Amino acid sequence: MSTPDTGPSDPFVDQVRRARIIPVLRTRTPGAAVAAAGRCFDGGLSVVELTTTTPGWQEALARVRQAHHGRTVGVGTVLSVEHARQAMEAGADFLVSPCPVPAVRDHVAGRLPLMEGGMTVAEILSAASRGIAKLFPAHVGGTKYLRSLLAIAPGSRIVPTGGIPLRHVADWLDAGALAVGVGSDLLAEDDVTVAIRDALRS
């Protein structure tokens, strides 16, 4: 599988690259989010992303942090400064937005890694110039679009997310993704460990 040239060493970038799969946990209750995170960690993943669309996500974040010391837990769907503030206070290790939100970017101001989302060439390359870009919704352009982006900006750190089934994860990594965000498809599996192994073709 291709490994993007990440340039100067950055601990968070290195961690995301090693993780290869980042589960995006959208659930109906905080308890379900905690259980889902536990399944992912037990299955061998090292990074999870909770989302602000989960009712009581702050509670879920606190519980996951308490139950899984030393694991990396981020908060996604961060669309406001209030989201960012709450996530940081609850102990998030990183933040993810689905689109450019300048106010959030200014509020975080280097205090936490921010994976900023976008879809257009300008949005993705701008976000990648500051760290890791989230390509969303990735299924719209597919792997050909990612390859086109990397052709004009080699080495850009891009994590595609949105509508990617587990069976296509390896294709995205081969196309140059730093890692791949996967949602409900992963949690639908009975055995997360086996599902991850099969997805990575290891």
Side-chain angles (χ1 to χ4, degrees), residues 1 20 196-202:
M1 296 179 186
R20 296 190 288 178
I196 294 168
R197 182 196 64 202
D198 291 347
L200 296 174
R201 297 177 184 168
S202 58

Side-chain angles (χ1 to χ4, degrees), residues 52-73:
T52 64
T53 55
T54 295
W57 63 269
Q58 301 98 322
E59 174 192 341
L61 175 58
R63 289 171 59 184
V64 172
R65 295 285 301 180
Q66 184 176 26
H68 302 281
H69 296 290
R71 302 303 183 103
T72 300
V73 187

Side-chain angles (χ1 to χ4, degrees), residues 3 29 33 48 61 86 96 114 119 123 140 143 150 158 202:
T3 302
T29 66
V48 302
L61 175 58
Q86 291 174 341
V96 185
L114 172 64
M119 183 63 191
E123 289 171 343
V140 174
T143 56
L150 293 173
I158 303 174
S202 58

Side-chain angles (χ1 to χ4, degrees), residues 5 22 26 53 56 59 81 92 104 130 164 170 184 188-189:
D5 177 7
I22 299 179
R26 300 183 189 278
T53 55
E59 174 192 341
V81 170
V104 169
R130 291 186 292 272
I164 300 176
S184 57
E189 297 288 335

Side-chain angles (χ1 to χ4, degrees), residues 42 98 101-102 131 174:
D42 291 343
V101 187
D174 285 341

Side-chain angles (χ1 to χ4, degrees), residues 41-173:
F41 288 138
D42 291 343
L45 296 177
S46 58
V47 179
V48 302
E49 176 189 330
L50 307 181
T51 69
T52 64
T53 55
T54 295
W57 63 269
Q58 301 98 322
E59 174 192 341
L61 175 58
R63 289 171 59 184
V64 172
R65 295 285 301 180
Q66 184 176 26
H68 302 281
H69 296 290
R71 302 303 183 103
T72 300
V73 187
V75 172
T77 322
V78 174
L79 292 169
S80 67
V81 170
E82 183 63 12
H83 280 164
R85 183 187 62 77
Q86 291 174 341
M88 294 169 74
E89 289 179 352
D93 293 306
F94 64 96
L95 305 180
V96 185
S97 67
C99 59
V101 187
V104 169
R105 188 191 312 147
D106 292 343
H107 180 74
V108 174
R111 290 183 288 171
L112 279 185
L114 172 64
M115 196 183 303
E116 189 172 83
M119 183 63 191
T120 69
V121 174
E123 289 171 343
I124 291 297
L125 298 190
S126 177
S129 72
R130 291 186 292 272
I132 300 175
K134 170 181 174 173
L135 175 59
F136 179 83
H139 69 91
V140 174
T143 56
K144 289 183 178 179
Y145 185 49
L146 175 61
R147 290 183 188 277
S148 295
L149 290 168
L150 293 173
I152 60 175
S156 293
R157 302 147 170 174
I158 303 174
V159 174
T161 305
I164 300 176
L166 277 172
R167 67 182 183 277
H168 291 164
V169 164
D171 296 332
W172 284 94
L173 292 172

